[in-house]
Every structure is written in C-alpha cells, then in structure tokens.
Amino acid sequence: MAVYILRRLLLIPLTLFGIMLINFAVAQMAPGGPVEQMLAKAENQTVSATARLSGQGGAEAAASAPGQAGGAYRGARGLDPAYVAEIRHQFGFDIPPGRRFVKMMRDYLHFDFGKSFYRDESVVDLVLEKMPVSISLGLWSTLIIYVVSIPLGIAKAVRDGSRFDIATSWIIIIGNAVPSFLFAILLVVLFCGGSYWSLFPLRGLVSPGWAHLPWPQRIADYAWHLALPLTCVVIGGFAGLTMLTKNCFLDEIHKQYVITARAKGLTERRVLYGHVFRNAMLLVIAGFPSLLVGILFTGQMLIEIIFSLDGLGQLGFEAVINRDYPVMFGTLYVFSLLGLVLNLLSDLTYHLVDPRIDFEARS
C-alpha cells in the first residue's frame, strides 16, 4: 500500500499542473479579459465626458473617437496609447502568456496567490473572509445528510416493498426533482417576508452585534440564519446517499453469510448491525471525503446569492464575471489540490474499512 500512496502523491503535482494549464489556456482565449473590461469602462467615461462637453449625442461622440489609439483592444479606441500600456502593465498583461503562467505557478508553489484585481485585498484574505459561510453550509449539511440518509436507507432496505418504503421513495423523488434554488425561492417567499410570514432572516450568517450576545443567543442566532439555506441544501442532497445505502444493504442482506448467520440463531438486529453494516457501509463511508469537498466548494453559489450569504460560491461567481484572474486561479489551485488529496483519502478509507481491498495488488 505504501508504493500505491507514493505513486498517487507523485501524480498530484502533475495532475494539478494539467488542471491549471488547461484552465489558463481557456481563460486566455476567452474574450473580455480584465484589460479589455478596464479599457471599455475608460472609453465609456471618455465618450460620456465628450458628449456632455460638446452637447452632442453619445453616438456622435463615439463616432468621432476611432482612429486615435487603436491597439489590440476594441475598448482602447480613443484612449492614449500610454494609458493602454499602463493598464496592461498594471494587470501583468505586458508579459507573454507563457511567462505569466510560469510565474504564476512558481508563486503558487509558495502559496503566494497575489492580490485581487478589483479589491484591495490578497486572495488568501478574501478566501479566509468568505470561508466561514461555505464551511457552515458544507459541514452542517454533510452531517445532517449522513445522519438522515443512513438510518433512512437502512430502514428502507429492511422494509423493502412496504408502504413505508414506497412513501419515502416518493418523498425522495420529489426532493431530488426540485432544484435547490427553486426551493430556496419558495422558502424566501413563504418565510422571509416575501408574501406571507417573516419568520427567518434573509441576509447574512449572523445578526448585527452577534459578537456581543451571550453564547446561548449566539448559537440560536447562528442556527436561525442557517435554517433555510441548510434545508435547501439537505433536501437536494440526501436522495442519492439514501438510495445508495438502501441498495448496499439489499445487496448484502441476500448474501450467503447472512443466511448462515440467521441459521445460527442470531437475532435480526445482530445480523444487521454486526455483520451486514460494515460491508454495506463500505461505499458510503469511503465516499465521505469526496462528498465533503463537493458540498463545501461546489453547488452553493445560487443558495448563497438567494440568501445573501457572502461565501466562496458568490466570490467565485463575481471573479468569473469580472475576470478577476488572481481570485479565479488562486481558488482553483487550492480547491483542486484539496480535491486530489481527499480523493487519495477516499481510497485509503476503502482500505481501512475493508482490508481485503488492496489497490496496489489491483494495479
């Protein structure tokens, strides 16, 4: 197993390099980079100022602008070439893309992610500032999903085909079919003062002045703000794990060793939790690390926007829209590295849960 772990560890830098290279190349080919956006804003301001001074319409002022400073950017027409060069230098685009990528990766090796293009903060500070929201949503929703899904899946497997199984299956199907963001909008309309009741807050992770409250009120206020967002995430996330647990138990219940255990006179509870549980939980437990990183860092953007939670999802969305490359690539690097490490932990968890699984022997 040590050789397998070493091989996987050696593959992490190569995989991470490939991820960063592909995304960097795609970002370079995408139109509307940070330089173009900044020059377009400057051009619009110049056209508006010219129109106000001359008394002409915006279209006439824009028509008189071309021909002064062309350059490689459409938004640079009518701007001083020195200003265009200064903007390119400010964003680091006066360096060829290859050299920029090498410099970026060299800095990332030391976890130096630079500063945001549009905020006077470092990428690390921005991520740490937004992290509590995403961790709160991801960690609590993961725990709730596991606490609900595993007992429910076991109960469905034991009562397979019963009314309980059919009724809960319908609930799971409906919960899985309704998108989380639509359910979030429904909860906002019903319980956040949209049209009916104003029972829950619509903004933030905690209330103003939260730090000065006694600790019981802090916990209550924190749970009050998280109640609706967590409900949306959990409703959309527990269906797959419940059905996986049920199918794993059904597969194990019909195996020969279970029949033998029952023939020996063991109670059903002893057979279920003493023999079946460990084998059936193999896939469920081993998938926990990858499920955690998936819930933490993906799929929460719309929930954060709807409930005005300033987390990593909203930060990533704004970075893509504004072409804030330091934030985009810095977060991509960290989360890709974390995902690769957690995938390795998933494989190790398989081996710990069932020592018969040997990835080294398989390879």
Side-chain angles (χ1 to χ4, degrees):
M1 197 66 181
V3 176
Y4 173 77
I5 296 174
L6 179 61
R7 186 165 60 246
R8 286 290 300 271
L9 289 175
L10 292 176
L11 282 174
I12 287 178
L14 295 177
T15 306
L16 188 60
F17 179 82
I19 292 172
M20 298 302 297
L21 179 60
I22 293 172
N23 283 274
F24 183 85
V26 171
Q28 300 308 304
M29 293 185 292
V35 175
E36 292 177 285
Q37 290 193 9
M38 184 64 70
L39 293 177
K41 291 179 182 179
E43 175 68 13
N44 290 335
Q45 292 174 358
T46 302
V47 170
S48 300
T50 304
R52 286 196 302 268
L53 290 174
S54 61
Q56 299 175 355
E60 296 175 354
S64 64
Q68 295 183 19
Y73 303 99
R74 292 183 178 180
R77 293 181 300 184
L79 297 176
D80 185 3
Y83 177 73
V84 175
E86 180 184 348
I87 293 297
R88 296 189 65 206
H89 176 72
Q90 176 184 343
F91 288 104
F93 277 74
D94 54 339
I95 304 173
R99 289 175 56 190
R100 269 190 283 128
F101 179 76
V102 171
K103 181 181 181 302
M104 181 182 75
M105 294 304 296
R106 189 186 301 119
D107 292 338
Y108 284 6
L109 288 176
H110 304 93
F111 291 94
D112 179 11
F113 303 111
K115 296 183 65 175
S116 168
F117 282 162
Y118 303 102
R119 307 187 190 196
D120 191 23
E121 291 185 73
S122 69
V123 174
V124 173
D125 291 340
L126 279 174
V127 171
L128 292 178
E129 179 185 341
K130 315 298 182 184
M131 188 74 79
V133 172
S134 296
I135 288 182
S136 295
L137 280 177
L139 185 60
W140 290 117
S141 61
T142 301
L143 292 176
I144 294 173
I145 287 171
Y146 265 79
V147 168
V148 172
S149 297
I150 292 178
L152 180 59
I154 295 174
K156 286 175 64 62
V158 173
R159 300 172 177 83
D160 185 37
S162 66
R163 292 183 178 179
F164 172 81
D165 182 38
I166 296 173
T168 53
S169 294
W170 275 108
I171 295 174
I172 289 172
I173 291 172
I174 294 173
N176 194 41
V178 178
S180 297
F181 70 92
L182 286 181
F183 190 65
I185 294 173
L186 175 63
L187 292 182
V188 168
V189 172
L190 290 177
F191 301 113
C192 295
S195 299
Y196 297 91
W197 303 282
S198 181
L199 302 178
F200 293 93
L202 186 57
R203 181 177 299 274
L205 191 62
V206 293
S207 299
W210 177 83
H212 303 290
L213 296 175
W215 67 266
Q217 294 184 25
R218 291 188 192 181
I219 296 175
D221 183 78
Y222 176 71
W224 183 46
H225 281 76
L226 275 180
L228 296 187
L230 276 181
T231 301
C232 298
V233 177
V234 170
I235 288 296
F238 80 100
L241 185 60
T242 301
M243 296 310 297
L244 176 63
T245 303
K246 176 189 174 182
N247 293 332
C248 288
F249 265 81
L250 284 177
D251 186 55
E252 294 294 326
I253 286 173
H254 296 96
K255 288 186 177 180
Q256 185 62 43
Y257 75 91
V258 177
I259 299 175
T260 303
R262 286 172 175 165
K264 289 180 179 180
L266 297 180
T267 64
E268 190 66 22
R269 184 179 182 86
R270 178 70 182 276
V271 172
L272 188 63
Y273 293 101
H275 293 75
V276 176
F277 186 83
R278 179 172 180 177
N279 294 324
M281 286 293 98
L282 175 62
L283 290 175
V284 177
I285 296 174
F288 180 79
S290 57
L291 175 67
L292 179 60
V293 73
I295 292 179
L296 277 175
F297 304 122
T298 60
Q300 308 301 335
M301 180 189 71
L302 292 177
I303 300 298
E304 291 181 8
I305 292 175
I306 291 172
F307 290 100
S308 301
L309 297 173
D310 194 9
L312 292 174
Q314 190 164 343
L315 175 67
F317 174 74
E318 293 175 354
V320 171
I321 295 298
N322 297 323
R323 300 297 195 273
D324 196 346
Y325 288 158
V327 176
M328 285 174 54
F329 292 121
T331 53
L332 175 66
Y333 181 88
V334 173
F335 298 152
S336 298
L337 178 60
L338 183 61
L340 292 170
V341 172
L342 287 176
N343 283 333
L344 175 58
L345 290 179
S346 294
D347 290 347
L348 296 180
T349 309
Y350 274 107
H351 182 71
L352 292 175
V353 174
D354 189 350
R356 295 172 298 176
I357 297 178
D358 190 345
F359 293 98
E360 187 174 343
R362 183 191 63 181
S363 61

